Amino acid sequence: MSEIQKPLILLCFSKSSVSPLAPFTFCANNVPGPDPVRAMDMAHRCGFRTIELSAIDGISEQIVAERVCPRYVSEIARELDKHGLRCTAVSAHCDMTDEAQFARLLKKIEFSGEIGAKTVNTRCGPKARYAVFLDHVRRAAELAERYGMRLGLESYGDIAGPARECGPVFAELKALPNVEYTYDPGNTYRYCRGQIRLDEDLQNASVPVTYLHMKDGSIHDGFIWNEPIGQGVFPYPAMFAALEQQTETLPCALEMPMSFCVRVEDLSFRFLEPAEETIYTQIMQSVEYVGRLAKICYE
């Protein structure tokens, strides 16, 4: 795919009359470092029109909770306009059961709403603090609802885990209709240390998937690596087939963070510094692979 092509605003499977993945979004976590403009540059270069901004505690804090105010939101909004991008989601991952991190999450939700996002994604926290989670998730959901947003609880291996296991959590949250399940196959694979069939997990999902972070990966040299889509071991044709049975449309963000790998033994992070051209090449390789599985609809 040449750089002058302006790709994708959504995907539709070749055997379907609907558009299961819409919009197909660039995740700012693809680009390491604290600068959101650098991530916007890459998203624009790769031809995306939508972006999921990154405010992930300790990993990719391009949007800073402590800076959130009308002026800061306006500055980010102007940069998005310059790059021809619309923010459809924010990665606001934190431990929701930690008081300080939860306070920052509320500021991230405020930013997400003010910037016009429809989804704010987060992880939950350890099962041992489940009662705290229940209190905090209700407060976070209420704030998100004021902005008309959904709160996506991501499969991270804590309170929200694999799709086949987390039905009871969402059943307990049924009074919060804007709290939904975000599936991240990379996080799920990492939590299970590779001992999971992701297609079978989705086929046996106990809760509907309403947002997808598209990752790929594999294990070698004692680490779990994030790789271009189609170059890892994730069975995407079967995963797509399982997802298509669940929903007619599914928001999806391409998220392949090349800035770290994770040690299998203790799940500790090892941070990397990929070159700009490596990031671009691997993102476009991912787009091309998905294009072979699905019909890509251009603007």
Side-chain angles (χ1 to χ4, degrees):
M1 184 176 295
S2 70
E3 195 167 339
I4 62 171
Q5 287 178 294
K6 296 300 180 185
L8 50 145
I9 51 175
L10 56 86
L11 294 172
C12 47
F13 291 111
S14 57
K15 293 183 180 180
S16 175
S17 60
V18 298
S19 303
L21 305 182
F24 189 73
T25 296
F26 182 94
C27 192
N29 189 32
N30 294 331
V31 179
D35 185 3
V37 175
R38 184 184 175 203
M40 294 179 204
D41 287 341
M42 183 61 70
H44 178 77
R45 180 182 177 189
C46 293
F48 285 82
R49 293 291 178 264
T50 56
I51 190 168
E52 179 172 347
L53 293 174
S54 188
I56 303 174
D57 283 3
I59 297 176
S60 181
E61 299 185 61
Q62 297 172 0
I63 301 301
V64 183
E66 289 75 12
R67 295 186 63 189
V68 173
C69 66
R71 181 177 178 179
Y72 181 65
V73 174
S74 294
E75 290 173 356
I76 299 297
R78 282 195 296 272
E79 289 296 338
L80 288 168
D81 287 342
K82 288 179 186 177
H83 289 82
L85 293 168
R86 180 168 53 92
C87 175
T88 53
V90 173
S91 288
H93 301 27
C94 70
D95 178 351
M96 290 181 67
T97 70
D98 178 277
E99 293 293 343
Q101 292 186 45
F102 179 68
R104 299 182 78 240
L105 173 63
L106 295 180
K107 295 299 291 184
K108 297 174 189 179
I109 293 173
E110 177 187 336
F111 170 85
S112 303
E114 295 293 340
I115 206 72
K118 298 299 182 184
T119 299
V120 57
N121 290 310
T122 182
R123 64 183 181 90
C124 298
K127 296 176 182 178
R129 296 202 290 272
Y130 188 72
V132 177
F133 161 75
L134 287 178
D135 175 54
H136 285 181
V137 73
R138 291 187 178 99
R139 290 168 57 189
E142 288 170 2
L143 179 58
E145 189 175 25
R146 291 181 208 168
Y147 291 103
M149 291 192 303
R150 63 177 293 276
L151 179 67
L153 304 183
E154 188 160 318
S155 59
Y156 206 84
D158 49 11
I159 288 169
R164 65 191 177 207
E165 296 177 5
C166 62
V169 175
F170 287 89
E172 191 160 2
L173 301 176
K174 63 183 178 181
L176 304 172
N178 66 323
V179 177
E180 299 178 349
Y181 184 47
T182 291
Y183 193 74
D184 188 313
N187 291 347
T188 306
Y189 181 82
R190 180 170 73 237
Y191 161 70
C192 295
R193 290 174 167 83
Q195 301 302 304
I196 187 171
R197 281 286 304 270
L198 294 168
D199 54 335
E200 292 180 357
D201 186 40
L202 289 169
Q203 289 161 8
N204 296 288
S206 57
V207 62
V209 174
T210 59
Y211 195 96
L212 176 67
H213 276 148
M214 188 181 289
K215 284 192 179 85
D216 206 340
S218 65
I219 297 174
H220 55 88
D221 302 325
F223 286 88
I224 303 167
W225 301 84
N226 298 304
E227 295 169 318
I229 312 301
Q231 295 186 27
V233 299
F234 296 5
Y236 266 101
M239 289 164 61
F240 280 155
L243 287 167
E244 193 173 11
Q245 295 301 310
Q246 295 186 31
T247 182
E248 290 188 354
T249 60
L250 181 64
C252 173
L254 178 67
E255 184 189 13
M256 37 178 297
M258 290 164 271
S259 58
F260 64 82
C261 58
V262 177
R263 189 183 301 275
V264 175
E265 183 180 4
D266 58 6
L267 300 184
S268 61
F269 281 66
R270 171 185 166 191
F271 289 96
L272 310 168
E273 295 184 4
E276 201 82 4
E277 287 306 309
T278 299
I279 296 171
Y280 172 76
T281 298
Q282 295 197 3
I283 288 170
M284 298 313 292
Q285 287 173 346
S286 299
V287 170
E288 290 177 358
Y289 172 78
V290 175
R292 291 196 293 270
L293 297 180
K295 178 183 177 183
I296 297 178
C297 302
Y298 291 88
E299 190 174 42

